[in-house]
């Protein structure tokens, strides 16, 4: 992974690349597009200035464009030579600042840079020189966050995406915290040249973290539900040889793994096109029973049906005459005005139909390959991180995990994991059960000011880990 990080750090950014713009704790994923405006932290700008630079570069937004700045010079720009001994005689009053809010807004409207605005605030502050060194740094940091529009361009990684989702919308990743994600990868023993089965409903965060850890060496089968949406995985912008080792398999088709020659799409299409014989026989049996039970009312139904059919025939004739007349008028009008666009639309529909068929065939081929990989029953681990109850999922996939391999289950609540623990222990062939919860507290580490952060997360979910030992013999 060190080689991959070095390559990503030396790569020059280009259009269509995925980047994370970070300003303090505010960060968001964007795709680089020329002449397209984006919004972040109440600022509107384009990403054209990022092209040609490397990840980790710091930019300032000026007149809606991103301009590269030197972060070290920016940090050294605000240093006061006069400092006070303590803050006991200082009071937080509005009169401490000579500039009013209207004056500051006027500076912004005239296009004054953020550094100059902060310099004006320092000069017009009556208490800044009397503050201690730590208090001055804290005050300047607060003003920088408010008046400087400076962003750092970073490469999307599993850690950054987990922190971003957990800070903005934790429900999209099932409230997985960064330390919990690290434990999932550690307990499941994800490494190069291993094959992993992953059940993921966290927008592709866990799948992306596994692919990132594999480094392009090893295969991953992603079991998904419904339409496959993986924005976190797409944001990581993996190369093609990474994605070739990723297989997608519908979770509701796990009962058909033992039948490798019948992908679910082909079955559904064959049922819709040709019809299924069991359904026809059931309909015939139903008709026979209805005829036997309703022999007495057949005569009345036949008379009523004859009257209805006569009326329907007359209505159908009238509608057919009207449709013919309208069709002739429409063909005359379209023939005069638009003759070629109809052909273009037909070609476009034909092309769309061909692309759909090609994607369907490719998807069926990938599902068939995933089935063959599962039928070897030699997967190196199972990871379940989803919002559904894990018990039926685990029991359906346990047979395809090799002996002496780890099983890692994540849930936001402990009750589903306790239920799954009872079922797996009753099944047999699994040992070394552990149900854990991690407590995390972040610390601020600064000279003479090291203390825990005021705000901290209440919980990062629960983990149930186990080890497959042998196949139970019936």
């Amino acid at each position: 992974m060190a080689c991959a990080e070095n390559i990503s750090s030396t790569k020059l950014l280009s259009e269509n690349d995925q980047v994370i713009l970070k300003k303090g704790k505010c960060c968001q994923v964007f795709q680089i597009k020329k002449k397209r405006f984006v919004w972040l932290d109440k600022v509107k700008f384009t990403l054209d200035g990022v092209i040609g630079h490397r990840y980790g570069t710091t930019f300032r937004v000026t007149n809606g464009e991103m301009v590269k700045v030197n972060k070290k010079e920016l940090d050294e720009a605000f240093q006061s030579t006069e400092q006070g001994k303590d803050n006991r005689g200082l009071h937080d009053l509005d009169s401490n600042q000579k500039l009013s809010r209207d004056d500051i807004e006027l500076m912004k409207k005239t296009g004054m840079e953020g550094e100059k605005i902060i310099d004006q605030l320092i000069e017009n502050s009556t208490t800044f020189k009397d503050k201690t060194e730590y208090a001055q740094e804290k005050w300047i940091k607060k003003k920088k966050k408010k008046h400087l529009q400076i962003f750092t361009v970073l490469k999307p990684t599993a850690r950054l995406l987990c922190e971003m989702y957990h800070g903005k919308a934790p429900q999209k990743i099932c409230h997985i915290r960064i330390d919990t994600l690290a434990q999932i990868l550690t307990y499941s023993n994800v490494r190069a040249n291993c094959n992993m089965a992953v059940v993921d409903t966290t927008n592709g965060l866990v799948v992306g973290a596994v692919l990132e850890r594999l480094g392009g060496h090893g295969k991953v089968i992603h079991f998904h539900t419904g339409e496959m949406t993986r924005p976190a995985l797409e944001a990581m912008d993996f190369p093609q040889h990474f994605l070739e080792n990723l297989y997608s398999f519908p979770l509701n088709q796990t009962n058909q793994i033992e039948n490798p020659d019948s992908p679910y799409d082909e079955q559904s299409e064959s049922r819709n096109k040709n019809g299924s014989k069991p359904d026809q026989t059931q309909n015939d049996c139903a008709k026979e029973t209805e005829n036997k039970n309703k022999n007495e009312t057949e005569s009345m139904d036949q008379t009523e049906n004859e009257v209805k059919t006569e009326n329907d025939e007359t209505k159908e004739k009238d509608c057919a005459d009207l449709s013919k007349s309208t069709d002739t008028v429409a063909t005359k009008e379209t023939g005069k005005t638009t003759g070629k666009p109809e052909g273009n639309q037909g070609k476009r529909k034909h092309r769309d139909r061909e692309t759909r068929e090609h994607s369907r065939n490719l998807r069926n081929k990938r599902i068939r390959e995933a089935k063959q990989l599962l039928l070897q029953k030699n997967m190196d681990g199972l990871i379940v991180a989803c919002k559904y109850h894990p018990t039926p999922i685990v029991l359906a996939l346990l047979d395809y995990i090799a002996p002496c391999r780890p099983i890692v289950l994540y849930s936001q609540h402990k009750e589903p994991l306790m239920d799954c623990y009872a079922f797996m222990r009753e099944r047999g062939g699994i040992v070394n059960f552990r149900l854990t919860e991690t407590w995390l507290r972040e610390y601020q580490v600064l000279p003479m000011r090291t203390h825990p952060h005021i705000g901290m997360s209440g919980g990062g979910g629960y983990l149930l880990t186990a080890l497959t030992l042998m196949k139970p013999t019936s």
Side-chain angles (χ1 to χ4, degrees), residues 335-401:
K336 292 179 181 179
T337 57
T338 58
K340 295 182 180 179
E342 286 184 355
N344 295 331
Q345 290 179 359
K347 291 180 180 178
R348 193 179 299 111
K349 290 180 179 179
H350 182 67
R351 268 191 253 105
D352 295 339
R353 193 182 299 111
E354 288 182 349
T355 54
R356 285 196 299 269
E357 290 179 358
H358 177 70
S359 61
R360 188 185 298 113
N361 294 331
L362 182 61
R363 183 169 62 252
N364 290 334
K365 180 183 177 182
R366 298 287 291 178
I367 291 175
R368 201 176 295 112
E369 292 176 356
K371 284 184 178 182
Q372 293 176 0
L373 185 62
L374 289 170
L375 287 173
Q376 296 176 6
K377 298 185 178 181
N378 196 26
M379 301 300 294
D380 293 314
L382 173 63
I383 300 175
V384 179
C386 64
K387 57 185 177 182
Y388 304 108
H389 201 289
T391 301
I393 298 173
V394 173
L395 295 179
L397 299 176
L398 270 178
D399 293 335
Y400 307 104
I401 309 301

Side-chain angles (χ1 to χ4, degrees), residues 280-297:
Q280 291 180 357
T281 56
Q282 289 177 0
N283 292 330
D284 294 338
C285 293
K287 289 180 180 179
E288 289 178 3
T289 54
E290 288 177 358
N291 291 328
K292 289 180 181 179
N293 294 328
K294 297 180 180 180
N295 287 328
E296 296 179 356
T297 57

Side-chain angles (χ1 to χ4, degrees), residues 70-107:
N70 192 344
K71 194 173 182 180
K72 293 182 180 180
E73 295 178 357
L74 193 65
D75 294 336
E76 297 174 356
F78 307 102
Q79 290 185 355
S80 177
T81 56
E82 299 183 11
Q83 299 168 357
K85 294 182 180 180
D86 54 48
N87 300 327
R88 286 179 292 181
L90 301 180
H91 300 282
D92 189 10
L93 300 174
D94 294 338
S95 59
N96 295 338
Q97 181 57 246
K98 297 178 183 179
L99 293 176
S100 64
R101 185 176 297 178
D102 295 335
D103 296 334
I104 298 173
E105 292 295 331
L106 182 62
M107 293 179 187

Side-chain angles (χ1 to χ4, degrees), residues 41-223:
D41 198 22
K42 300 180 181 180
V43 183
K44 182 180 178 182
F45 54 93
T46 61
L47 299 177
D48 296 356
V50 176
I51 298 175
H53 295 279
R54 293 182 173 86
Y55 288 110
T57 310
T58 304
F59 296 87
R60 178 198 289 115
V61 177
T62 55
N63 298 325
E65 296 181 356
M66 300 190 74
V67 181
K68 181 181 177 181
V69 295
N70 192 344
K71 194 173 182 180
K72 293 182 180 180
E73 295 178 357
L74 193 65
D75 294 336
E76 297 174 356
F78 307 102
Q79 290 185 355
S80 177
T81 56
E82 299 183 11
Q83 299 168 357
K85 294 182 180 180
D86 54 48
N87 300 327
R88 286 179 292 181
L90 301 180
H91 300 282
D92 189 10
L93 300 174
D94 294 338
S95 59
N96 295 338
Q97 181 57 246
K98 297 178 183 179
L99 293 176
S100 64
R101 185 176 297 178
D102 295 335
D103 296 334
I104 298 173
E105 292 295 331
L106 182 62
M107 293 179 187
K108 291 182 179 179
K109 290 181 180 179
T110 55
M112 185 179 291
E113 295 182 354
E115 292 88 341
K116 295 182 179 179
I117 294 176
I118 295 175
D119 289 336
Q120 291 294 324
L121 292 173
I122 293 174
E123 292 178 2
N124 290 276
S125 176
T126 58
T127 58
F128 181 79
K129 296 180 180 179
D130 298 331
K131 293 181 179 181
T132 61
E133 181 183 358
Y134 300 146
Q136 288 180 357
E137 291 179 3
K138 188 176 180 180
W139 188 88
I140 291 174
K141 184 179 179 181
K142 184 179 178 181
K143 298 304 177 183
K144 281 182 180 181
K145 184 178 179 182
K146 187 174 181 180
H147 298 289
L148 292 183
Q149 305 302 334
I150 294 177
F151 303 96
T152 303
V153 179
L154 302 174
K155 180 175 176 58
T157 59
R159 179 182 64 84
L160 292 175
L161 290 172
C162 185
E163 292 178 352
M164 183 190 73
Y165 276 107
H166 194 269
K168 295 176 63 177
Q171 68 278 3
K172 292 184 178 180
I173 58 172
C174 299
H175 294 263
I176 290 182
R177 209 167 48 196
I178 180 60
D179 59 311
T180 308
L181 181 61
Q183 290 182 75
I184 290 173
L185 297 176
T186 302
Y187 284 131
S188 58
N189 195 20
V190 179
R191 64 197 185 282
N193 299 317
C194 71
N195 302 327
M196 300 297 299
V198 182
V199 182
D200 177 14
T201 60
T202 62
N203 282 339
L205 177 65
V206 177
V207 176
V210 172
L211 280 175
E212 186 181 39
R213 179 69 65 89
L214 291 177
H217 304 282
K219 297 181 180 179
V220 180
I221 299 179
H222 175 210
F223 294 89

Side-chain angles (χ1 to χ4, degrees), residues 225-243:
T225 58
E227 294 184 0
M228 186 173 52
T229 56
R230 300 181 293 204
L233 177 65
E234 295 173 358
M236 292 186 185
D237 203 7
F238 288 117
Q240 185 61 30
H241 70 276
F242 277 61
L243 300 177

